[in-house]
Amino acid sequence: IGVHPDIQTLLIAEWNVDQAAGSRKLTVAEIFRAWGRQLIDDAQVLQRLLGLGYNVDDANIIFDLRAPV
């Protein structure tokens, strides 16, 4: 596959850790659905967006776009 065997080993080990840790996360839509049902609060929404890889500024923009006016 064009990846050095040592790197393959590291990637597989990382994948195994992710699988064991339950790396599945809620989608943005699911996060806001939970927020809309008051299952999570504003701070948890932002934390989960950060956990999806958004930077702070983008997470705040996404939150502001979804928040009621």
Side-chain angles (χ1 to χ4, degrees):
I1 60 176
V3 178
H4 190 276
D6 292 341
I7 301 299
Q8 287 178 12
T9 302
L10 290 172
L11 291 173
I12 290 170
E14 183 178 321
W15 180 79
N16 287 334
V17 168
D18 285 347
Q19 292 299 312
S23 63
R24 294 191 60 131
K25 296 181 173 143
L26 296 178
T27 65
V28 172
E30 290 168 331
I31 291 168
F32 280 99
R33 189 170 180 196
W35 178 69
R37 293 186 180 186
Q38 299 179 346
L39 300 174
I40 59 176
D41 62 23
D42 296 0
Q44 290 171 312
V45 169
L46 291 172
Q47 191 63 37
R48 287 176 179 271
L49 292 172
L50 294 173
L52 290 176
Y54 290 98
N55 65 43
V56 173
D57 292 333
D58 289 345
N60 281 308
I61 289 170
I62 291 169
F63 182 81
D64 289 344
L65 289 172
R66 298 283 184 119
V69 183

Short mmCIF file of all heavy atoms in Angstrom, two decimals:
data_model
loop_
_atom_site.label_atom_id
_atom_site.label_comp_id
_atom_site.label_asym_id
_atom_site.label_seq_id
_atom_site.Cartn_x
_atom_site.Cartn_y
_atom_site.Cartn_z
N ILE A 1 0.82 -1.21 0.00
CA ILE A 1 0.00 0.00 0.00
C ILE A 1 0.86 1.27 0.00
O ILE A 1 0.34 2.35 0.11
CB ILE A 1 -1.00 0.00 1.18
CG1 ILE A 1 -0.28 -0.06 2.51
CG2 ILE A 1 -2.03 -1.07 1.02
CD1 ILE A 1 -1.17 0.03 3.74
N GLY A 2 2.15 1.10 -0.08
CA GLY A 2 3.02 2.27 -0.16
C GLY A 2 3.38 2.88 1.18
O GLY A 2 3.85 4.01 1.23
N VAL A 3 3.14 2.17 2.27
CA VAL A 3 3.47 2.67 3.61
C VAL A 3 4.54 1.76 4.20
O VAL A 3 4.41 0.53 4.16
CB VAL A 3 2.22 2.69 4.52
CG1 VAL A 3 2.57 3.16 5.91
CG2 VAL A 3 1.13 3.56 3.91
N HIS A 4 5.58 2.37 4.70
CA HIS A 4 6.68 1.61 5.30
C HIS A 4 6.14 0.69 6.39
O HIS A 4 5.23 1.07 7.14
CB HIS A 4 7.72 2.58 5.89
CG HIS A 4 8.98 1.92 6.31
ND1 HIS A 4 9.12 1.33 7.54
CD2 HIS A 4 10.15 1.74 5.66
CE1 HIS A 4 10.32 0.81 7.64
NE2 HIS A 4 10.98 1.06 6.50
N PRO A 5 6.66 -0.56 6.49
CA PRO A 5 6.16 -1.53 7.47
C PRO A 5 6.15 -1.01 8.91
O PRO A 5 5.23 -1.31 9.67
CB PRO A 5 7.10 -2.72 7.31
CG PRO A 5 7.58 -2.63 5.91
CD PRO A 5 7.66 -1.16 5.59
N ASP A 6 7.15 -0.23 9.30
CA ASP A 6 7.17 0.32 10.66
C ASP A 6 5.99 1.28 10.88
O ASP A 6 5.37 1.29 11.94
CB ASP A 6 8.48 1.04 10.95
CG ASP A 6 9.67 0.11 11.02
OD1 ASP A 6 9.45 -1.11 11.22
OD2 ASP A 6 10.80 0.58 10.88
N ILE A 7 5.70 2.08 9.87
CA ILE A 7 4.57 3.02 9.95
C ILE A 7 3.26 2.24 9.95
O ILE A 7 2.32 2.59 10.67
CB ILE A 7 4.62 4.04 8.80
CG1 ILE A 7 5.93 4.83 8.83
CG2 ILE A 7 3.43 4.97 8.85
CD1 ILE A 7 6.15 5.64 10.09
N GLN A 8 3.19 1.17 9.16
CA GLN A 8 1.99 0.34 9.16
C GLN A 8 1.70 -0.18 10.56
O GLN A 8 0.56 -0.13 11.02
CB GLN A 8 2.16 -0.85 8.21
CG GLN A 8 2.12 -0.51 6.76
CD GLN A 8 2.35 -1.72 5.88
OE1 GLN A 8 2.34 -2.86 6.34
NE2 GLN A 8 2.54 -1.48 4.58
N THR A 9 2.74 -0.64 11.23
CA THR A 9 2.59 -1.17 12.59
C THR A 9 2.06 -0.09 13.53
O THR A 9 1.15 -0.35 14.33
CB THR A 9 3.94 -1.73 13.11
OG1 THR A 9 4.39 -2.73 12.20
CG2 THR A 9 3.80 -2.31 14.49
N LEU A 10 2.61 1.12 13.44
CA LEU A 10 2.15 2.22 14.29
C LEU A 10 0.70 2.59 13.99
O LEU A 10 -0.09 2.82 14.91
CB LEU A 10 3.04 3.44 14.11
CG LEU A 10 4.46 3.33 14.68
CD1 LEU A 10 5.29 4.54 14.26
CD2 LEU A 10 4.43 3.20 16.19
N LEU A 11 0.35 2.63 12.71
CA LEU A 11 -1.02 2.98 12.34
C LEU A 11 -2.02 1.94 12.83
O LEU A 11 -3.10 2.28 13.33
CB LEU A 11 -1.13 3.15 10.82
CG LEU A 11 -0.42 4.36 10.23
CD1 LEU A 11 -0.45 4.30 8.71
CD2 LEU A 11 -1.02 5.65 10.73
N ILE A 12 -1.65 0.68 12.70
CA ILE A 12 -2.53 -0.39 13.17
C ILE A 12 -2.67 -0.33 14.69
O ILE A 12 -3.78 -0.48 15.23
CB ILE A 12 -2.03 -1.76 12.69
CG1 ILE A 12 -2.22 -1.86 11.18
CG2 ILE A 12 -2.76 -2.90 13.41
CD1 ILE A 12 -1.55 -3.05 10.54
N ALA A 13 -1.58 -0.07 15.39
CA ALA A 13 -1.65 0.04 16.85
C ALA A 13 -2.54 1.21 17.26
O ALA A 13 -3.36 1.09 18.18
CB ALA A 13 -0.25 0.22 17.43
N GLU A 14 -2.42 2.33 16.57
CA GLU A 14 -3.27 3.50 16.86
C GLU A 14 -4.73 3.17 16.58
O GLU A 14 -5.62 3.52 17.36
CB GLU A 14 -2.82 4.69 16.02
CG GLU A 14 -3.59 5.95 16.30
CD GLU A 14 -3.09 7.11 15.48
OE1 GLU A 14 -1.88 7.25 15.29
OE2 GLU A 14 -3.94 7.91 15.04
N TRP A 15 -5.00 2.50 15.48
CA TRP A 15 -6.36 2.11 15.14
C TRP A 15 -6.94 1.20 16.22
O TRP A 15 -8.09 1.37 16.62
CB TRP A 15 -6.36 1.41 13.78
CG TRP A 15 -7.72 0.97 13.35
CD1 TRP A 15 -8.70 1.75 12.79
CD2 TRP A 15 -8.27 -0.35 13.45
NE1 TRP A 15 -9.81 0.99 12.52
CE2 TRP A 15 -9.58 -0.30 12.92
CE3 TRP A 15 -7.79 -1.56 13.92
CZ2 TRP A 15 -10.40 -1.41 12.87
CZ3 TRP A 15 -8.61 -2.67 13.87
CH2 TRP A 15 -9.90 -2.59 13.34
N ASN A 16 -6.13 0.25 16.70
CA ASN A 16 -6.60 -0.66 17.76
C ASN A 16 -6.94 0.10 19.04
O ASN A 16 -7.93 -0.21 19.70
CB ASN A 16 -5.56 -1.74 18.04
CG ASN A 16 -5.48 -2.77 16.93
OD1 ASN A 16 -6.45 -2.98 16.21
ND2 ASN A 16 -4.33 -3.39 16.78
N VAL A 17 -6.14 1.10 19.39
CA VAL A 17 -6.42 1.91 20.57
C VAL A 17 -7.73 2.67 20.38
O VAL A 17 -8.57 2.72 21.27
CB VAL A 17 -5.26 2.88 20.87
CG1 VAL A 17 -5.66 3.92 21.92
CG2 VAL A 17 -4.03 2.11 21.33
N ASP A 18 -7.91 3.26 19.21
CA ASP A 18 -9.15 3.99 18.92
C ASP A 18 -10.36 3.07 19.03
O ASP A 18 -11.39 3.45 19.60
CB ASP A 18 -9.12 4.61 17.52
CG ASP A 18 -8.24 5.83 17.45
OD1 ASP A 18 -7.84 6.36 18.51
OD2 ASP A 18 -7.94 6.27 16.31
N GLN A 19 -10.25 1.89 18.49
CA GLN A 19 -11.35 0.94 18.54
C GLN A 19 -11.66 0.53 19.98
O GLN A 19 -12.81 0.46 20.39
CB GLN A 19 -11.04 -0.30 17.70
CG GLN A 19 -11.00 -0.02 16.21
CD GLN A 19 -12.33 0.48 15.69
OE1 GLN A 19 -13.36 -0.09 15.97
NE2 GLN A 19 -12.30 1.56 14.94
N ALA A 20 -10.62 0.27 20.77
CA ALA A 20 -10.80 -0.14 22.16
C ALA A 20 -11.39 1.00 22.99
O ALA A 20 -12.15 0.77 23.93
CB ALA A 20 -9.47 -0.60 22.75
N ALA A 21 -11.04 2.22 22.66
CA ALA A 21 -11.51 3.37 23.43
C ALA A 21 -12.92 3.79 23.03
O ALA A 21 -13.49 4.68 23.65
CB ALA A 21 -10.55 4.54 23.24
N GLY A 22 -13.48 3.16 22.02
CA GLY A 22 -14.81 3.56 21.57
C GLY A 22 -14.77 4.93 20.96
O GLY A 22 -15.36 5.87 21.47
N SER A 23 -14.06 5.08 19.88
CA SER A 23 -13.78 6.39 19.31
C SER A 23 -14.96 7.01 18.56
O SER A 23 -14.85 8.10 18.05
CB SER A 23 -12.58 6.30 18.36
OG SER A 23 -12.88 5.44 17.29
N ARG A 24 -16.08 6.35 18.50
CA ARG A 24 -17.24 6.94 17.83
C ARG A 24 -17.73 8.14 18.62
O ARG A 24 -17.77 8.12 19.84
CB ARG A 24 -18.34 5.90 17.69
CG ARG A 24 -17.91 4.78 16.74
CD ARG A 24 -19.07 3.93 16.42
NE ARG A 24 -20.09 4.75 15.77
CZ ARG A 24 -20.69 4.42 14.65
NH1 ARG A 24 -20.40 3.32 14.07
NH2 ARG A 24 -21.60 5.21 14.13
N LYS A 25 -18.12 9.16 17.89
CA LYS A 25 -18.60 10.39 18.52
C LYS A 25 -19.90 10.82 17.87
O LYS A 25 -20.20 10.43 16.74
CB LYS A 25 -17.55 11.49 18.36
CG LYS A 25 -16.27 11.15 19.08
CD LYS A 25 -15.26 12.25 18.92
CE LYS A 25 -14.14 11.90 19.81
NZ LYS A 25 -12.89 12.07 19.60
N LEU A 26 -20.65 11.62 18.58
CA LEU A 26 -21.86 12.18 18.01
C LEU A 26 -21.51 13.11 16.86
O LEU A 26 -20.48 13.78 16.89
CB LEU A 26 -22.63 12.98 19.07
CG LEU A 26 -23.18 12.21 20.27
CD1 LEU A 26 -23.85 13.18 21.23
CD2 LEU A 26 -24.15 11.14 19.83
N THR A 27 -22.38 13.17 15.88
CA THR A 27 -22.21 14.13 14.79
C THR A 27 -22.64 15.51 15.27
O THR A 27 -23.27 15.64 16.34
CB THR A 27 -23.07 13.73 13.58
OG1 THR A 27 -24.45 13.84 13.96
CG2 THR A 27 -22.75 12.33 13.09
N VAL A 28 -22.36 16.53 14.48
CA VAL A 28 -22.79 17.88 14.82
C VAL A 28 -24.32 17.91 14.97
O VAL A 28 -24.85 18.48 15.93
CB VAL A 28 -22.31 18.91 13.77
CG1 VAL A 28 -22.92 20.28 14.02
CG2 VAL A 28 -20.79 19.00 13.76
N ALA A 29 -25.02 17.28 14.05
CA ALA A 29 -26.49 17.26 14.12
C ALA A 29 -26.97 16.57 15.39
O ALA A 29 -27.90 17.05 16.05
CB ALA A 29 -27.06 16.56 12.89
N GLU A 30 -26.33 15.47 15.76
CA GLU A 30 -26.72 14.75 16.98
C GLU A 30 -26.42 15.57 18.23
O GLU A 30 -27.21 15.56 19.18
CB GLU A 30 -26.01 13.40 17.04
CG GLU A 30 -26.50 12.42 16.01
CD GLU A 30 -25.62 11.20 15.86
OE1 GLU A 30 -24.39 11.28 16.10
OE2 GLU A 30 -26.16 10.14 15.51
N ILE A 31 -25.30 16.28 18.21
CA ILE A 31 -24.96 17.14 19.35
C ILE A 31 -26.05 18.19 19.55
O ILE A 31 -26.53 18.40 20.67
CB ILE A 31 -23.58 17.82 19.12
CG1 ILE A 31 -22.47 16.78 19.20
CG2 ILE A 31 -23.35 18.94 20.13
CD1 ILE A 31 -21.12 17.28 18.72
N PHE A 32 -26.46 18.83 18.46
CA PHE A 32 -27.48 19.88 18.60
C PHE A 32 -28.86 19.30 18.89
O PHE A 32 -29.67 19.96 19.54
CB PHE A 32 -27.47 20.80 17.38
CG PHE A 32 -26.37 21.81 17.47
CD1 PHE A 32 -25.18 21.62 16.80
CD2 PHE A 32 -26.51 22.93 18.27
CE1 PHE A 32 -24.15 22.53 16.92
CE2 PHE A 32 -25.49 23.85 18.40
CZ PHE A 32 -24.31 23.65 17.72
N ARG A 33 -29.11 18.10 18.46
CA ARG A 33 -30.38 17.46 18.83
C ARG A 33 -30.41 17.19 20.34
O ARG A 33 -31.42 17.45 21.00
CB ARG A 33 -30.53 16.16 18.05
CG ARG A 33 -31.88 15.53 18.19
CD ARG A 33 -32.02 14.39 17.22
NE ARG A 33 -33.34 13.81 17.36
CZ ARG A 33 -33.66 12.64 16.88
NH1 ARG A 33 -32.79 11.93 16.19
NH2 ARG A 33 -34.87 12.16 17.06
N ALA A 34 -29.29 16.70 20.88
CA ALA A 34 -29.20 16.47 22.33
C ALA A 34 -29.32 17.79 23.09
O ALA A 34 -29.98 17.86 24.12
CB ALA A 34 -27.88 15.78 22.67
N TRP A 35 -28.71 18.83 22.57
CA TRP A 35 -28.78 20.15 23.20
C TRP A 35 -30.22 20.68 23.17
O TRP A 35 -30.72 21.20 24.17
CB TRP A 35 -27.84 21.10 22.47
CG TRP A 35 -27.82 22.50 22.95
CD1 TRP A 35 -27.35 22.96 24.14
CD2 TRP A 35 -28.28 23.65 22.24
NE1 TRP A 35 -27.49 24.32 24.21
CE2 TRP A 35 -28.06 24.77 23.05
CE3 TRP A 35 -28.85 23.82 20.98
CZ2 TRP A 35 -28.39 26.05 22.65
CZ3 TRP A 35 -29.18 25.10 20.58
CH2 TRP A 35 -28.95 26.20 21.42
N GLY A 36 -30.89 20.50 22.03
CA GLY A 36 -32.27 20.95 21.90
C GLY A 36 -33.21 20.24 22.86
O GLY A 36 -34.21 20.81 23.31
N ARG A 37 -32.88 19.02 23.20
CA ARG A 37 -33.68 18.25 24.17
C ARG A 37 -33.17 18.43 25.60
O ARG A 37 -33.60 17.73 26.51
CB ARG A 37 -33.67 16.78 23.79
CG ARG A 37 -34.40 16.52 22.50
CD ARG A 37 -34.49 15.06 22.22
NE ARG A 37 -35.21 14.82 20.97
CZ ARG A 37 -35.55 13.64 20.54
NH1 ARG A 37 -35.24 12.56 21.22
NH2 ARG A 37 -36.18 13.51 19.39
N GLN A 38 -32.22 19.33 25.77
CA GLN A 38 -31.64 19.67 27.07
C GLN A 38 -30.95 18.49 27.74
O GLN A 38 -30.95 18.35 28.95
CB GLN A 38 -32.69 20.30 27.99
CG GLN A 38 -33.25 21.58 27.42
CD GLN A 38 -34.30 22.22 28.29
OE1 GLN A 38 -34.82 21.61 29.22
NE2 GLN A 38 -34.62 23.46 28.00
N LEU A 39 -30.35 17.62 26.90
CA LEU A 39 -29.58 16.50 27.43
C LEU A 39 -28.14 16.93 27.73
O LEU A 39 -27.46 16.30 28.54
CB LEU A 39 -29.57 15.33 26.44
CG LEU A 39 -30.94 14.75 26.09
CD1 LEU A 39 -30.82 13.72 24.98
CD2 LEU A 39 -31.59 14.14 27.34
N ILE A 40 -27.69 17.99 27.04
CA ILE A 40 -26.38 18.57 27.30
C ILE A 40 -26.52 20.09 27.31
O ILE A 40 -27.46 20.63 26.72
CB ILE A 40 -25.33 18.13 26.25
CG1 ILE A 40 -25.75 18.52 24.83
CG2 ILE A 40 -25.07 16.63 26.34
CD1 ILE A 40 -24.70 18.21 23.76
N ASP A 41 -25.60 20.77 27.98
CA ASP A 41 -25.68 22.23 28.07
C ASP A 41 -24.75 22.89 27.04
O ASP A 41 -24.06 22.22 26.28
CB ASP A 41 -25.38 22.71 29.49
CG ASP A 41 -23.99 22.37 29.97
OD1 ASP A 41 -23.08 22.17 29.14
OD2 ASP A 41 -23.79 22.32 31.20
N ASP A 42 -24.75 24.23 27.03
CA ASP A 42 -23.96 24.99 26.06
C ASP A 42 -22.48 24.61 26.11
O ASP A 42 -21.85 24.42 25.06
CB ASP A 42 -24.09 26.49 26.32
CG ASP A 42 -25.50 27.02 26.12
OD1 ASP A 42 -26.41 26.23 25.77
OD2 ASP A 42 -25.69 28.23 26.31
N ALA A 43 -21.93 24.53 27.31
CA ALA A 43 -20.50 24.22 27.46
C ALA A 43 -20.19 22.83 26.90
O ALA A 43 -19.14 22.63 26.27
CB ALA A 43 -20.09 24.31 28.93
N GLN A 44 -21.09 21.89 27.11
CA GLN A 44 -20.88 20.54 26.59
C GLN A 44 -20.95 20.52 25.06
O GLN A 44 -20.21 19.77 24.42
CB GLN A 44 -21.89 19.57 27.19
CG GLN A 44 -21.65 19.31 28.67
CD GLN A 44 -22.78 18.53 29.29
OE1 GLN A 44 -23.95 18.87 29.12
NE2 GLN A 44 -22.44 17.49 30.03
N VAL A 45 -21.82 21.34 24.50
CA VAL A 45 -21.89 21.44 23.03
C VAL A 45 -20.54 21.90 22.50
O VAL A 45 -19.97 21.29 21.60
CB VAL A 45 -23.00 22.42 22.58
CG1 VAL A 45 -22.89 22.71 21.08
CG2 VAL A 45 -24.37 21.87 22.90
N LEU A 46 -20.02 22.99 23.07
CA LEU A 46 -18.74 23.52 22.61
C LEU A 46 -17.62 22.50 22.80
O LEU A 46 -16.77 22.31 21.92
CB LEU A 46 -18.42 24.83 23.30
CG LEU A 46 -19.34 25.99 22.90
CD1 LEU A 46 -19.08 27.20 23.77
CD2 LEU A 46 -19.16 26.34 21.44
N GLN A 47 -17.60 21.82 23.93
CA GLN A 47 -16.57 20.82 24.19
C GLN A 47 -16.64 19.68 23.17
O GLN A 47 -15.62 19.21 22.68
CB GLN A 47 -16.72 20.28 25.62
CG GLN A 47 -15.55 19.45 26.07
CD GLN A 47 -14.27 20.24 26.12
OE1 GLN A 47 -14.25 21.40 26.47
NE2 GLN A 47 -13.17 19.61 25.76
N ARG A 48 -17.84 19.26 22.85
CA ARG A 48 -17.99 18.17 21.87
C ARG A 48 -17.58 18.62 20.47
O ARG A 48 -16.99 17.85 19.71
CB ARG A 48 -19.41 17.63 21.88
CG ARG A 48 -19.70 16.81 23.13
CD ARG A 48 -21.15 16.35 23.17
NE ARG A 48 -21.42 15.56 24.34
CZ ARG A 48 -21.26 14.24 24.42
NH1 ARG A 48 -20.85 13.56 23.36
NH2 ARG A 48 -21.54 13.60 25.52
N LEU A 49 -17.88 19.87 20.11
CA LEU A 49 -17.44 20.39 18.81
C LEU A 49 -15.91 20.43 18.75
O LEU A 49 -15.31 20.07 17.74
CB LEU A 49 -18.03 21.77 18.55
CG LEU A 49 -19.54 21.81 18.32
CD1 LEU A 49 -20.03 23.25 18.26
CD2 LEU A 49 -19.94 21.05 17.08
N LEU A 50 -15.29 20.84 19.84
CA LEU A 50 -13.82 20.84 19.90
C LEU A 50 -13.30 19.42 19.77
O LEU A 50 -12.29 19.18 19.09
CB LEU A 50 -13.33 21.47 21.20
CG LEU A 50 -13.62 22.97 21.38
CD1 LEU A 50 -13.24 23.43 22.77
CD2 LEU A 50 -12.91 23.79 20.32
N GLY A 51 -13.99 18.47 20.39
CA GLY A 51 -13.60 17.06 20.31
C GLY A 51 -13.71 16.49 18.91
O GLY A 51 -13.07 15.50 18.58
N LEU A 52 -14.54 17.12 18.07
CA LEU A 52 -14.66 16.69 16.68
C LEU A 52 -13.56 17.29 15.80
O LEU A 52 -13.49 17.01 14.62
CB LEU A 52 -16.03 17.08 16.11
CG LEU A 52 -17.23 16.32 16.66
CD1 LEU A 52 -18.52 16.88 16.08
CD2 LEU A 52 -17.11 14.84 16.37
N GLY A 53 -12.75 18.16 16.41
CA GLY A 53 -11.63 18.73 15.67
C GLY A 53 -11.81 20.17 15.24
O GLY A 53 -10.93 20.73 14.60
N TYR A 54 -12.94 20.78 15.58
CA TYR A 54 -13.12 22.19 15.25
C TYR A 54 -12.27 23.04 16.17
O TYR A 54 -12.10 22.72 17.35
CB TYR A 54 -14.60 22.60 15.41
CG TYR A 54 -15.51 22.00 14.37
CD1 TYR A 54 -16.26 20.86 14.65
CD2 TYR A 54 -15.61 22.56 13.11
CE1 TYR A 54 -17.08 20.31 13.69
CE2 TYR A 54 -16.44 22.01 12.14
CZ TYR A 54 -17.16 20.89 12.44
OH TYR A 54 -17.98 20.33 11.49
N ASN A 55 -11.73 24.15 15.64
CA ASN A 55 -11.02 25.08 16.52
C ASN A 55 -12.05 25.91 17.28
O ASN A 55 -13.25 25.87 16.97
CB ASN A 55 -10.02 25.94 15.74
CG ASN A 55 -10.67 26.88 14.75
OD1 ASN A 55 -11.68 27.51 15.04
ND2 ASN A 55 -10.10 26.96 13.56
N VAL A 56 -11.59 26.65 18.27
CA VAL A 56 -12.51 27.39 19.16
C VAL A 56 -13.37 28.37 18.37
O VAL A 56 -14.59 28.45 18.59
CB VAL A 56 -11.72 28.12 20.27
CG1 VAL A 56 -12.61 29.03 21.09
CG2 VAL A 56 -11.01 27.11 21.17
N ASP A 57 -12.77 29.12 17.46
CA ASP A 57 -13.53 30.11 16.69
C ASP A 57 -14.62 29.45 15.86
O ASP A 57 -15.77 29.90 15.86
CB ASP A 57 -12.60 30.92 15.78
CG ASP A 57 -11.66 31.82 16.56
OD1 ASP A 57 -12.01 32.23 17.69
OD2 ASP A 57 -10.57 32.13 16.02
N ASP A 58 -14.28 28.37 15.17
CA ASP A 58 -15.28 27.69 14.34
C ASP A 58 -16.36 27.03 15.19
O ASP A 58 -17.54 27.05 14.82
CB ASP A 58 -14.61 26.66 13.44
CG ASP A 58 -13.79 27.29 12.33
OD1 ASP A 58 -13.95 28.51 12.08
OD2 ASP A 58 -12.98 26.58 11.71
N ALA A 59 -15.98 26.47 16.33
CA ALA A 59 -16.97 25.87 17.23
C ALA A 59 -17.97 26.92 17.70
O ALA A 59 -19.17 26.67 17.74
CB ALA A 59 -16.28 25.20 18.42
N ASN A 60 -17.47 28.11 18.02
CA ASN A 60 -18.36 29.19 18.45
C ASN A 60 -19.27 29.65 17.32
O ASN A 60 -20.45 29.94 17.54
CB ASN A 60 -17.55 30.37 19.00
CG ASN A 60 -17.11 30.11 20.41
OD1 ASN A 60 -17.89 29.77 21.28
ND2 ASN A 60 -15.81 30.26 20.65
N ILE A 61 -18.75 29.70 16.10
CA ILE A 61 -19.58 30.08 14.95
C ILE A 61 -20.68 29.05 14.74
O ILE A 61 -21.86 29.40 14.56
CB ILE A 61 -18.72 30.23 13.68
CG1 ILE A 61 -17.85 31.49 13.78
CG2 ILE A 61 -19.60 30.28 12.42
CD1 ILE A 61 -16.79 31.60 12.70
N ILE A 62 -20.32 27.78 14.76
CA ILE A 62 -21.32 26.72 14.58
C ILE A 62 -22.39 26.83 15.66
O ILE A 62 -23.59 26.71 15.39
CB ILE A 62 -20.64 25.34 14.59
CG1 ILE A 62 -19.80 25.18 13.33
CG2 ILE A 62 -21.69 24.22 14.68
CD1 ILE A 62 -18.90 23.97 13.35
N PHE A 63 -21.96 27.05 16.90
CA PHE A 63 -22.92 27.17 18.01
C PHE A 63 -23.83 28.37 17.78
O PHE A 63 -25.06 28.27 17.92
CB PHE A 63 -22.19 27.30 19.35
CG PHE A 63 -23.13 27.37 20.50
CD1 PHE A 63 -23.69 26.22 21.03
CD2 PHE A 63 -23.51 28.59 21.04
CE1 PHE A 63 -24.59 26.28 22.09
CE2 PHE A 63 -24.40 28.66 22.10
CZ PHE A 63 -24.94 27.50 22.62
N ASP A 64 -23.25 29.52 17.42
CA ASP A 64 -24.05 30.73 17.21
C ASP A 64 -25.05 30.56 16.06
O ASP A 64 -26.15 31.10 16.13
CB ASP A 64 -23.13 31.93 16.94
CG ASP A 64 -22.38 32.38 18.18
OD1 ASP A 64 -22.75 31.97 19.30
OD2 ASP A 64 -21.39 33.11 18.02
N LEU A 65 -24.68 29.80 15.04
CA LEU A 65 -25.60 29.56 13.93
C LEU A 65 -26.78 28.70 14.33
O LEU A 65 -27.87 28.81 13.76
CB LEU A 65 -24.85 28.91 12.75
CG LEU A 65 -23.87 29.81 12.01
CD1 LEU A 65 -23.07 28.99 11.02
CD2 LEU A 65 -24.59 30.94 11.32
N ARG A 66 -26.58 27.83 15.31
CA ARG A 66 -27.63 26.91 15.73
C ARG A 66 -28.47 27.45 16.89
O ARG A 66 -29.57 26.99 17.11
CB ARG A 66 -27.03 25.57 16.16
CG ARG A 66 -26.31 24.84 15.07
CD ARG A 66 -27.32 24.17 14.12
NE ARG A 66 -26.62 23.39 13.13
CZ ARG A 66 -26.76 22.09 12.97
NH1 ARG A 66 -27.56 21.41 13.73
NH2 ARG A 66 -26.10 21.47 12.02
N ALA A 67 -27.91 28.38 17.66
CA ALA A 67 -28.61 28.91 18.83
C ALA A 67 -29.82 29.73 18.40
O ALA A 67 -29.77 30.43 17.38
CB ALA A 67 -27.66 29.74 19.68
N PRO A 68 -30.89 29.67 19.18
CA PRO A 68 -32.07 30.49 18.86
C PRO A 68 -31.73 31.97 18.90
O PRO A 68 -30.94 32.41 19.72
CB PRO A 68 -33.09 30.14 19.94
CG PRO A 68 -32.48 29.10 20.81
CD PRO A 68 -31.07 28.89 20.37
N VAL A 69 -32.35 32.72 18.02
CA VAL A 69 -32.08 34.16 17.95
C VAL A 69 -32.94 34.92 18.92
O VAL A 69 -34.06 34.64 19.14
CB VAL A 69 -32.30 34.69 16.51
CG1 VAL A 69 -31.96 36.16 16.43
CG2 VAL A 69 -31.52 33.87 15.52
#
